[in-house]
Amino acid sequence: MITALAASQAYAAAQKGLGIEDGPGMVGSKPPQPGGFGDILKSAITDAVSASKTAEKTMAAQVAGKAELVDVVTAISAAEASLETVMAVRDQVISAYQEIMRMPI
């Protein structure tokens, strides 16, 4: 099982690799642009990173006694759902790529 910290670091690395700016008010502040698949994918990764960071902040607040356990579970569940969505899209993209590679030229 992936720890929350490891997942967060992986998301941060993916976000940095995509060139998504991470400053105050920048994450999720832009509406998704109707365009190509890359824009949709970038938006999904940004949402997953944002959900992961929210879950980490909620966990830290709960450890400090400032948040309820149910809030932590809800935040982690949202982060997990975002991760599963990104992984499902990744799996479909890999499957499509493999199918294209099998096509005769």
Side-chain angles (χ1 to χ4, degrees):
M1 183 169 189
I2 298 175
T3 64
L5 180 59
S8 171
Q9 290 172 343
Y11 286 135
Q15 187 178 25
K16 186 176 180 181
L18 289 172
I20 299 171
E21 294 296 326
D22 186 15
M26 290 299 291
V27 175
S29 63
K30 294 183 199 174
Q33 299 289 328
F37 176 74
D39 294 334
I40 295 169
L41 189 59
K42 188 182 283 189
S43 175
I45 291 173
T46 301
D47 291 344
V49 170
S50 177
S52 177
K53 288 181 181 181
T54 301
E56 281 187 31
K57 289 177 185 176
T58 307
M59 285 187 286
Q62 201 280 327
V63 169
K66 297 178 182 177
E68 296 293 323
L69 185 59
V70 70
D71 296 332
V72 174
V73 172
T74 303
I76 291 173
S77 178
E80 184 179 14
S82 295
L83 174 62
E84 288 176 2
T85 301
V86 170
M87 288 175 35
V89 170
R90 179 207 60 187
D91 292 344
Q92 290 295 321
V93 168
I94 290 171
S95 175
Y97 174 77
Q98 290 172 341
E99 187 66 28
I100 290 170
M101 293 305 292
R102 283 189 220 116
M103 289 181 181
I105 297 177

